[in-house]
Amino acid sequence: MHMYALTLQRSTAIVCTAYGNFSAPKMHEVVVSHGKVLELLRPDASGKMQSICSMEAFGIVRSLVAFRLPGASTDYLVLGSDSGRISVVEFNKERNQFERVHMETFGKSGCRRIVPGQHIAADPKGRAVMVGAVEKQKLVYIFNRDATSKLTISSPLEAHKNSTINFCIVGVDVGFENPIFACIELDYTDADSDPTGEAITESNKVLTFYELDLGLNHVVRKWSEPIDPASNMLIPVPGDTDGPSGVLVCAENKIAYKKPDHEDVVTLIPRREGMPLDQPLLITSYSQLKQKDFFFILLQSEHGDLYRVTLDYEGEEVNDIKIEYYDTVPVATSLVILKTGFLFVASEFGNHALYQFLNIKGGEDETINVEVEIEGETIIIPHFKPHSLKNLLLVDDIDSLSPIIDSKIVDLAGEETPQIYALCGRGRRSTLRTLRHGLAVAEMAVSELPSNPSAVWTVRSSDKEEHDKYIVVSFLNATIVLSIGETVEEVTDSGFLATTSTLSVSLLGDDSLLQIHPNGIRRIRSDRRINEFTPPNKGVISKVAVNQRQVAIALTDNSIIYFELDAANQLEERAKPEIGGEVAALDLASIGVGRSRSKFMVVGTFESTWIVRVLSLEPGNFMQVLSRQALPDRPESLCLIEIATGTSANDGGATTLFLFAGLANGVLMRIGVDPVSGQLAPDFRTRFLGAKPVKLFKVLVQGQPAVLALSSRSWLCYNYQGRYHITPMSYETLEYAATFASEQCPEGFVSVAGNTLRILTVERFGEIFNQQSLKLAYTPRKAALIKNANCFVVIETDHNSEVADSVVKAGMEVEGQEEEEEEEAMPEAVYGVHRAGEGKWASCIRVVDPVERETVQLIPLDEDEAALCVCTCTFPSRPGETFVLVGTVTKMDLQKRDGSGQIRVYKVTGNQLSLEHKTPVEGMPRALQYFQGRVLVGISLTQGASLRMYDLGKKKLLRKCENRAFPNMIVSITVNGDRIYVGDVAESVVFLKYNKTTNSLIVFADDTTPRWVTSMCNLDYDSVAVSDKFGNIFVCRLPAESKDDVNDSSEGVGSGGASAVFKTEECIQYHVGETVCGLQKVTLTPGGAESIVYWTLYGGIGALQPFVSREDVDFFTHLEMHLRGSSGAREAKPKEGNGYDHPSICGRDQLSFRSYYHPVKDVIDGDLCETFICLDPSTQKKIAEELDRTPGEVAKKLEDMRNRLL
């Protein structure tokens, strides 16, 4: 078995960020690391955060820093990763990707304690970078220019210190003096040699300043001073002419300003009203804004509160630190203040956000000073009351699935393609999200029409106008014209003929409007003069093709008449080509810049079979047939269009001429056309779009030509981030469409659906899945499907949490007065809740209708009771009834594995649950699974774990049999027939069989390798796919000689006890790079391939699909081999024959990355294969020749593999 691994949705969690001008001067951009993905974000004019570039790093990017050489106008980016290398990259605008400029090796690969990469800091003047490890090692690299102004990098200078843990490193702003780096360190030399463990309590953290002497070219420890043991973060203070220099040291409850030869200045962090004084308060992220006359620093606490910090200073002497409450936003891993007046919040969990500053000076100081007596001393502690946003305005909410804890892929909405129902988020920001394959569409306007229209167009008044002037709607025997302004109103003086249906409306020349109807052509000039053309012999026009200066019409007698605008701006009849056969469709390409006509016309006709011809419109070979292509079915519409398949044309990329053919059988064909000779490429792409004939329309996407294809679903073919996409739109069936532009909607579509006219716009291009969400009260843990009711039962549990407002509200009658108080209260999703304390749990059971996205029933659990697992069951003793079983534990201690557990049994009536009874168990029920009319329960005990089988009784569940041979904790159970597959938290998979004769659960096989299992998915009777917490996916299969009819052997499982009789074989092994939270075997699209779909902690979704032929395996194995080498290197200017052998921009070897813990086995990395499209044409040709293919054939293979999935 060989599989093809492909990422469907890249991770959305943000690990770290860097701010700078990467693509061009004064382009304020943010680079974010999603772990193994690097993405460049930029806010557009409307304040929406747009993704400019997204790249797989094939390594884990742990830290980022931007730096700019003195006098430069753009920034470089330095990556700290798990590659054991420092990598300096710059953004290549032409190829729309990051490319490596320098890469220096300093250690082994992997996330190791003493190999630098965890911390990285740059000198504010761009002269040097310090990269540090978690422990001991710190290296400094000096940057400079050579004679040709290219970046140069020095050999590393060491700043190591043995037995020292590094907590934070920053570059101190000292102007153009010797660069200085500040570091929080902890020396554990004494603690390491102390067997009593007392020395660690006495060891202090120290703040150390390292100076890089540029003259002597070495690093010295300039200054060191003990600091608060709870210090966790350093913040550099602007220096030189902008401020006093130095650093702010953030510790529990306070901030201190420190600098050599300067007295410490300390201030307390304001606390929320009602927050217990014994609860520490930490700063977790910061950002600063530096302007000519002042600067301020924005801090965020672990509760999400923002503080505005300014320094009261004279020269280099700091007198006081002023800190005031600013606003509250979700807790972030990173804050970025953009100089364009935006604040980017990279949320720890849930959606990221972009805010606009309304007031950078802050409002009135609302701090209340409270005197508190601590150990005989009176201390004034500032307090504040959180308020709704006053200084910030939310302008964009960026969807993030992180973390996906559980998911179900099933078609509950009856849409033919399954939906992904994902449990996402943590705490009060948790959601149940419905993911559908396709672009999210926003309705700008919907209006009913008197009857069903047949077509719609938009037209501008002249070529110089940016926005459309009219919407023209055609009916069976009439046409109405709507004028576009602040509102859309019908007009009667436009000059269009309203008493007949219309076939086409367009702008002809610079300022003439053209209406083509069945009885003729009507040209409306800008001065309202009207020219008419009537077909000869009372002919009736059936098909039309137009562009800016050319018109082609086909009559019902299948004759074609071709017109062109002449030098006098008159529409002149030029030819009547003899085609022969029935004309089904025709089209003209748009006229390119600097040309007077389109070179080609395409015509689809029937002559014993359906054929599409390319006709020349050039004077030298006018109306000659240049090439032809047989079609499998009738062409409903043709579209000849230039689309960029690499870098966008706006960024200097080349466009390719394509012929799109929409066929009557619902298939879309895409054929390349030679722009010089007009020859059709021999290889073409096909895609089944739906059951209806495909209609094609030319539209604009981000100012670039694109194709909208309408069948039973609407599809958009467009270029985004240098790649060609064909993606469905998540919207009802459309019958006709046209591009639309107005002041309110700069880029959208006007479309017809039934008897309604709709103006639509696509919200975010490039997305694979669009999302709709339902808010939850606590962190969701598991979900189970009630099939008869099409509802999910979701269990939610939070530790150290109070009961959520929504749960309280659902559990009691709310009176008017309480309602008002509820409205005034701050939303818990943003402002969080007070911590209840260790051992305190809040939990509930929620019944959700996922199609309507509403909560049907909410059942709060008892105080300190935590729900851990759930499943649905049917029992033979109660035929026709469905039950929901929920495993819970009371007062669970996270440090221990035992607890007072119970299994709640609920009876399902419609979509409501009613409690039948509770069954106490002596351990913690961690997994539930229905099995042959009974239920299997995995129970965690003080020592080891137990697998039990229960049946339904009248007052409680009845234990039938048990196996205690599990060494640790059962986390997952799946079944197939009479076999049971159990996942142990640290000992991989165990295969069991239920013996009905002896009523026993018998272990007959286990794995040879200990694995930390997170989830499992049964593939067939002998195989199971498993994921572990380190990001690996593997498939365990029983050997052919194995048998499950062994004698009862319950000595133990795995490395902890006696071995099972048989050992499984590992037939698939692949490292994803993120913790995989779940697996499911499913088909994502009708007629598509069955695959293993996985979802991750960082919000990523991917799939592994099996290959269907040995030829494909050989092809992709060789393609992967070529891309791993120097051919796929991500370098700005590769040296001939001496390129780096790493396609990864961070320098990580792709093969070793995919083999992080175990060698990759029989899995092709689809993400690496798809980087072929991003290579330059000469490299593509070189690799394709090695594979005995053309670059087009290789790209087609890659498209086919993705299309089999989605």
Side-chain angles (χ1 to χ4, degrees):
M1 180 165 64
H2 288 76
M3 304 195 92
Y4 184 78
L6 198 60
T7 300
L8 302 180
Q9 162 123 2
R10 284 177 169 166
S11 310
T12 51
I14 293 177
V15 178
C16 51
T17 62
Y19 168 62
N21 311 134
F22 300 101
S23 61
K26 297 185 179 178
M27 280 288 187
H28 300 279
E29 296 158 326
V30 180
V31 175
V32 299
S33 163
H34 298 292
K36 61 191 180 74
V37 175
L38 206 62
E39 187 174 18
L40 179 66
L41 302 173
R42 182 195 304 154
D44 61 13
S46 62
K48 299 291 182 186
M49 206 60 143
Q50 299 295 338
S51 175
I52 307 301
C53 160
S54 182
M55 289 183 67
E56 284 279 348
F58 301 106
I60 298 168
V61 179
R62 298 187 281 166
S63 52
L64 296 171
V65 69
F67 80 93
R68 181 182 303 190
L69 290 171
S73 56
T74 57
D75 292 288
Y76 291 98
L77 189 68
V78 186
L79 308 181
S81 65
D82 64 339
S83 62
R85 299 178 167 97
I86 184 172
S87 184
V88 183
V89 300
E90 67 177 346
F91 186 73
N92 185 327
K93 190 176 179 181
E94 286 69 36
R95 296 179 63 185
N96 198 55
Q97 63 183 28
F98 286 101
E99 292 182 337
R100 217 171 36 232
V101 182
H102 278 291
M103 185 179 73
E104 298 294 328
T105 305
F106 51 66
K108 292 182 178 180
S109 62
C111 294
R112 302 170 188 265
R113 286 194 311 172
I114 63 165
V115 177
Q118 182 67 29
H119 306 291
I120 196 161
D123 170 50
K125 298 299 181 187
R127 297 168 296 171
V129 162
M130 176 180 274
V131 55
V134 173
E135 188 178 322
K136 183 185 176 182
Q137 292 194 12
K138 292 181 287 295
L139 298 170
V140 176
Y141 289 88
I142 303 171
F143 292 117
N144 216 323
R145 290 188 181 93
D146 62 11
T148 58
S149 295
K150 292 180 182 176
L151 180 75
T152 61
I153 186 170
S154 72
S155 299
L157 304 175
E158 293 184 356
H160 304 338
K161 189 167 186 290
N162 287 330
S163 304
T164 301
I165 297 172
N166 303 316
F167 288 90
C168 183
I169 300 174
V170 296
V172 182
D173 191 348
V174 290
F176 284 98
E177 294 179 13
N178 281 337
I180 289 179
F181 297 93
C183 181
I184 297 179
E185 299 176 340
L186 174 67
D187 190 327
Y188 63 84
T189 308
D190 296 336
D192 222 18
S193 57
D194 176 32
T196 63
E198 294 175 2
I200 191 66
T201 59
E202 299 170 5
S203 56
N204 271 332
K205 288 180 181 175
V206 292
L207 173 64
T208 307
F209 277 41
Y210 290 90
E211 181 179 359
L212 167 62
D213 193 318
L214 292 172
L216 299 175
N217 200 34
H218 73 154
V219 183
V220 294
R221 290 166 61 89
K222 183 179 181 181
W223 179 74
S224 186
E225 183 175 289
I227 55 175
D228 191 301
S231 300
N232 68 310
M233 182 183 291
L234 294 177
I235 300 170
V237 175
D240 199 12
T241 58
D242 299 315
S245 186
V247 292
L248 293 178
V249 182
C250 300
E252 282 183 0
N253 309 320
K254 64 183 180 182
I255 298 170
Y257 173 81
K258 285 184 176 286
K259 190 170 69 168
D261 304 323
H262 191 290
E263 286 187 10
D264 291 356
V265 182
V266 181
T267 188
L268 295 178
I269 303 169
R271 305 168 71 84
R272 285 188 182 185
E273 279 187 358
M275 184 176 170
L277 291 173
D278 58 348
Q279 184 177 317
L281 182 63
L282 279 175
I283 298 298
T284 56
S285 56
Y286 75 94
S287 185
Q288 58 180 266
L289 178 66
K290 191 163 59 174
Q291 294 188 334
K292 287 182 180 178
D293 53 345
F294 83 107
F295 71 89
F296 74 87
I297 300 168
L298 210 59
L299 308 181
Q300 188 182 39
S301 73
E302 56 191 317
H303 298 292
D305 299 320
L306 295 176
Y307 302 97
R308 183 178 181 275
V309 175
T310 55
L311 300 184
D312 179 10
Y313 67 96
E314 293 177 10
E316 293 192 356
E317 288 293 318
V318 175
N319 303 318
D320 192 15
I321 302 172
K322 295 180 180 177
I323 180 168
E324 58 186 39
Y325 170 64
Y326 190 72
D327 260 331
T328 300
V329 298
V331 179
T333 55
S334 183
L335 297 175
V336 179
I337 298 177
L338 286 76
K339 289 183 180 176
T340 47
F342 293 107
L343 172 67
F344 177 64
V345 177
S347 298
E348 197 175 34
F349 299 101
N351 292 354
H352 311 300
L354 186 69
Y355 295 89
Q356 186 172 10
F357 281 100
L358 300 178
N359 181 6
I360 61 171
K361 300 286 187 182
E364 297 178 9
D365 190 1
E366 301 171 6
T367 306
I368 306 159
N369 290 324
V370 179
E371 291 187 359
V372 179
E373 193 168 313
I374 300 176
E375 297 178 356
E377 286 187 43
T378 301
I379 299 175
I380 297 175
I381 299 178
H383 283 69
F384 66 91
K385 186 176 182 181
H387 55 64
S388 55
L389 291 178
K390 287 183 178 179
N391 303 302
L392 298 170
L393 173 69
L394 180 64
V395 290
D396 194 15
D397 197 40
I398 304 148
D399 286 334
S400 171
L401 295 173
S402 169
I404 306 178
I405 297 166
D406 192 20
S407 186
K408 302 291 178 192
I409 306 174
V410 62
D411 181 18
L412 297 180
E415 297 173 353
E416 296 180 356
T417 56
Q419 302 87 51
I420 301 175
Y421 297 98
L423 299 177
C424 305
R426 190 191 77 165
R428 304 300 195 265
R429 301 196 74 207
S430 304
T431 51
L432 169 64
R433 305 206 186 193
T434 306
L435 277 64
R436 289 179 172 84
H437 176 221
L439 297 167
V441 176
E443 286 182 349
M444 305 296 286
V446 178
S447 58
E448 288 197 10
L449 298 170
S451 62
N452 285 14
S454 58
V456 64
W457 301 269
T458 57
V459 65
R460 294 173 292 167
S461 58
S462 75
D463 193 41
K464 297 175 183 176
E465 292 288 329
E466 291 184 5
H467 301 137
D468 295 316
K469 185 176 182 181
Y470 296 121
I471 297 174
V472 182
V473 186
S474 173
F475 296 88
L476 188 62
N477 53 7
T479 298
I480 64 170
V481 182
L482 306 171
S483 174
I484 304 170
E486 290 186 5
T487 59
V488 177
E489 298 174 347
E490 185 175 353
V491 292
T492 55
D493 59 349
S494 60
F496 289 104
L497 187 65
T499 56
T500 180
S501 62
T502 300
L503 298 174
S504 172
V505 173
S506 64
L507 183 68
L508 187 70
D510 293 335
D511 55 4
S512 299
L513 302 180
L514 189 73
Q515 178 188 17
I516 302 177
H517 51 87
N519 301 316
I521 300 174
R522 185 182 182 95
R523 183 182 180 192
I524 306 153
R525 293 177 178 265
S526 57
D527 57 5
R528 295 305 173 99
R529 286 184 297 148
I530 293 175
N531 297 12
E532 294 270 7
F533 167 82
T534 305
N537 304 322
K538 295 184 178 180
V540 177
I541 302 171
S542 59
K543 306 293 178 188
V544 181
V546 295
N547 62 20
Q548 299 97 309
R549 299 183 60 83
Q550 296 161 288
V551 179
I553 58 173
L555 308 182
T556 51
D557 62 0
N558 296 318
S559 62
I560 294 176
I561 308 175
Y562 168 71
F563 303 84
E564 263 188 34
L565 276 183
D566 59 15
N569 207 27
Q570 298 292 326
L571 196 60
E572 177 190 7
E573 183 181 323
R574 294 289 306 277
K576 290 184 178 179
E578 292 294 328
I579 297 296
E582 178 191 345
V583 178
L586 67 162
D587 192 41
L588 295 161
S590 296
I591 300 173
V593 177
R595 296 188 59 87
S596 60
R597 65 170 64 86
S598 171
K599 293 177 67 174
F600 310 118
M601 177 171 71
V602 290
V603 184
T605 61
F606 183 78
E607 293 177 25
S608 71
T609 183
W610 290 105
I611 293 176
V612 61
R613 291 182 175 85
V614 179
L615 303 180
S616 171
L617 302 178
E618 292 285 273
N621 53 356
F622 190 59
M623 286 299 165
Q624 284 186 14
V625 177
L626 301 176
S627 59
R628 64 187 72 202
Q629 170 71 51
L631 301 176
D633 204 344
R634 173 191 174 92
E636 181 71 17
S637 62
L638 298 173
C639 182
L640 196 60
I641 189 170
E642 288 188 1
I643 292 183
T645 52
T647 305
S648 165
N650 285 347
D651 296 326
T655 58
T656 307
L657 185 62
F658 287 112
L659 169 61
F660 288 83
L663 307 184
N665 59 3
V667 171
L668 174 68
M669 290 181 67
R670 176 167 68 96
I671 311 168
V673 182
D674 189 297
V676 178
S677 66
Q679 292 294 314
L680 294 171
D683 61 319
F684 53 84
R685 318 287 167 85
T686 59
R687 181 77 187 255
F688 178 71
L689 303 188
K692 291 185 176 181
V694 179
K695 297 177 187 173
L696 303 175
F697 304 94
K698 296 175 184 176
V699 295
L700 291 176
V701 167
Q702 295 183 327
Q704 294 298 301
V707 176
L708 183 60
L710 303 184
S711 179
S712 53
R713 291 184 80 184
S714 306
W715 296 70
L716 194 60
C717 314
Y718 64 104
N719 177 278
Y720 181 75
Q721 288 188 1
R723 291 193 179 190
Y724 170 78
H725 292 255
I726 174 167
T727 312
M729 292 163 61
S730 291
Y731 199 69
E732 59 189 90
T733 304
L734 302 176
E735 289 146 27
Y736 210 92
T739 189
F740 177 84
S742 70
E743 288 186 13
Q744 292 80 13
C745 177
E747 192 175 85
F749 315 117
V750 59
S751 56
V752 168
N755 69 334
T756 59
L757 188 69
R758 299 164 188 248
I759 297 173
L760 312 172
T761 182
V762 174
E763 293 181 335
R764 288 192 188 276
F765 292 103
E767 67 180 4
I768 304 297
F769 300 101
N770 67 85
Q771 307 174 18
Q772 295 172 309
S773 60
L774 169 72
K775 290 183 179 179
L776 304 177
Y778 310 116
T779 306
R781 303 293 173 172
K782 293 285 181 185
L785 176 65
I786 305 174
K787 291 183 179 178
N788 299 336
N790 269 10
C791 287
F792 283 121
V793 179
V794 180
I795 56 169
E796 306 166 35
T797 303
D798 264 338
H799 179 236
N800 198 355
S801 172
E802 295 177 345
V803 180
D805 291 343
S806 56
V807 176
V808 173
K809 195 173 178 181
M812 60 185 284
E813 287 271 328
V814 181
E815 297 177 5
Q817 187 179 353
E818 289 175 324
E819 253 179 29
E820 287 175 17
E821 290 175 5
E822 185 69 31
E823 285 174 15
E824 290 176 10
M826 300 297 178
E828 292 181 342
V830 177
Y831 296 92
V833 290
H834 290 301
R835 292 172 184 167
E838 293 291 325
K840 294 288 184 179
W841 294 83
S843 191
C844 68
I845 301 168
R846 185 187 300 264
V847 183
V848 175
D849 183 341
V851 179
E852 298 296 328
R853 297 196 313 281
E854 61 181 18
T855 300
V856 177
Q857 186 182 12
L858 188 66
I859 305 170
L861 295 188
D862 298 340
E863 186 179 353
D864 295 339
E865 185 176 10
L868 302 179
C869 51
V870 62
C871 77
T872 55
C873 297
T874 56
F875 295 100
S877 58
R878 301 275 289 271
E881 295 181 358
T882 304
F883 296 89
V884 171
L885 276 67
V886 179
T888 68
V889 63
T890 304
K891 295 188 180 298
M892 181 168 69
D893 187 341
L894 292 172
Q895 307 300 323
K896 299 176 182 177
R897 290 187 177 176
D898 57 346
S900 173
Q902 59 182 0
I903 301 169
R904 290 169 168 253
V905 179
Y906 291 89
K907 179 185 172 185
V908 179
T909 309
N911 56 11
Q912 299 289 311
L913 303 183
S914 55
L915 183 65
E916 283 278 306
H917 50 66
K918 303 175 187 177
T919 305
V921 293
E922 65 271 25
M924 291 190 289
R926 285 282 183 176
L928 292 167
Q929 176 64 48
Y930 173 71
F931 177 71
Q932 296 182 356
R934 294 178 177 179
V935 64
L936 294 166
V937 185
I939 297 174
S940 176
L941 305 170
T942 310
Q943 293 292 325
S946 168
L947 179 68
R948 292 180 186 169
M949 186 183 293
Y950 284 92
D951 202 350
L952 184 69
K954 290 185 177 181
K955 292 189 176 180
K956 66 175 184 178
L957 293 173
L958 308 174
R959 190 192 307 185
K960 294 298 180 183
C961 62
E962 180 178 19
N963 187 322
R964 286 179 174 252
F966 300 93
N968 296 297
M969 180 193 297
I970 295 172
V971 292
S972 183
I973 306 170
T974 61
V975 297
N976 190 346
D978 56 358
R979 280 187 182 172
I980 302 163
Y981 313 87
V982 175
D984 185 271
V985 74
E987 291 291 348
S988 195
V989 189
V990 181
F991 288 58
L992 296 92
K993 184 175 181 181
Y994 175 58
N995 189 323
K996 293 183 179 178
T997 309
T998 60
N999 188 34
S1000 58
L1001 297 167
I1002 302 169
V1003 175
F1004 68 91
D1006 64 5
D1007 196 1
T1008 54
T1009 311
R1011 300 271 201 162
W1012 294 71
V1013 174
T1014 56
S1015 62
M1016 290 195 312
C1017 156
N1018 188 245
L1019 300 182
D1020 57 41
Y1021 201 53
D1022 289 333
S1023 309
V1024 61
V1026 190
S1027 66
D1028 68 21
K1029 67 187 266 188
F1030 301 110
N1032 301 302
I1033 295 178
F1034 58 99
V1035 174
C1036 285
R1037 174 175 286 173
L1038 285 172
E1041 68 275 5
S1042 64
K1043 300 176 183 177
D1044 55 14
D1045 56 348
V1046 296
N1047 295 326
D1048 188 357
S1049 171
S1050 52
E1051 296 94 351
V1053 171
S1055 58
S1059 187
V1061 178
F1062 296 105
K1063 293 294 177 185
T1064 59
E1065 297 171 349
E1066 196 176 272
C1067 53
I1068 290 292
Q1069 165 61 44
Y1070 183 72
H1071 179 71
V1072 174
E1074 302 164 20
T1075 300
V1076 178
C1077 295
L1079 302 166
Q1080 185 174 339
K1081 187 176 79 167
V1082 71
T1083 303
L1084 289 174
T1085 186
E1090 196 171 41
S1091 57
I1092 303 169
V1093 176
Y1094 64 84
W1095 47 92
T1096 71
L1097 198 67
Y1098 276 13
I1101 300 173
L1104 283 83
Q1105 59 167 319
F1107 283 104
V1108 292
S1109 69
R1110 185 76 213 179
E1111 180 193 351
D1112 282 352
V1113 174
D1114 291 342
F1115 171 80
F1116 282 101
T1117 302
H1118 285 89
L1119 175 61
E1120 190 182 36
M1121 181 183 70
H1122 286 295
L1123 289 169
R1124 277 188 190 133
S1126 57
S1127 302
R1130 286 280 188 274
E1131 289 182 84
K1133 297 170 184 64
K1135 302 164 192 170
E1136 283 300 321
N1138 194 27
Y1140 296 125
D1141 289 344
H1142 308 288
S1144 164
I1145 54 171
C1146 67
R1148 185 82 162 100
D1149 181 64
Q1150 183 270 343
L1151 183 60
S1152 66
F1153 176 67
R1154 293 303 182 195
S1155 309
Y1156 222 115
Y1157 295 91
H1158 303 270
V1160 63
K1161 184 177 182 185
D1162 294 345
V1163 180
I1164 302 297
D1165 186 355
D1167 295 336
L1168 176 67
C1169 292
E1170 289 197 342
T1171 62
F1172 175 84
I1173 302 164
C1174 302
L1175 300 176
D1176 60 86
S1178 60
T1179 311
Q1180 287 185 3
K1181 187 177 180 182
K1182 178 184 170 186
I1183 293 175
E1185 285 173 353
E1186 294 280 347
L1187 298 168
D1188 295 328
R1189 298 281 207 287
T1190 65
E1193 288 172 338
V1194 176
K1196 184 181 180 183
K1197 279 273 193 186
L1198 293 168
E1199 272 186 42
D1200 289 345
M1201 290 304 291
R1202 186 171 275 276
N1203 292 345
R1204 283 179 61 203
L1205 274 174
L1206 284 175

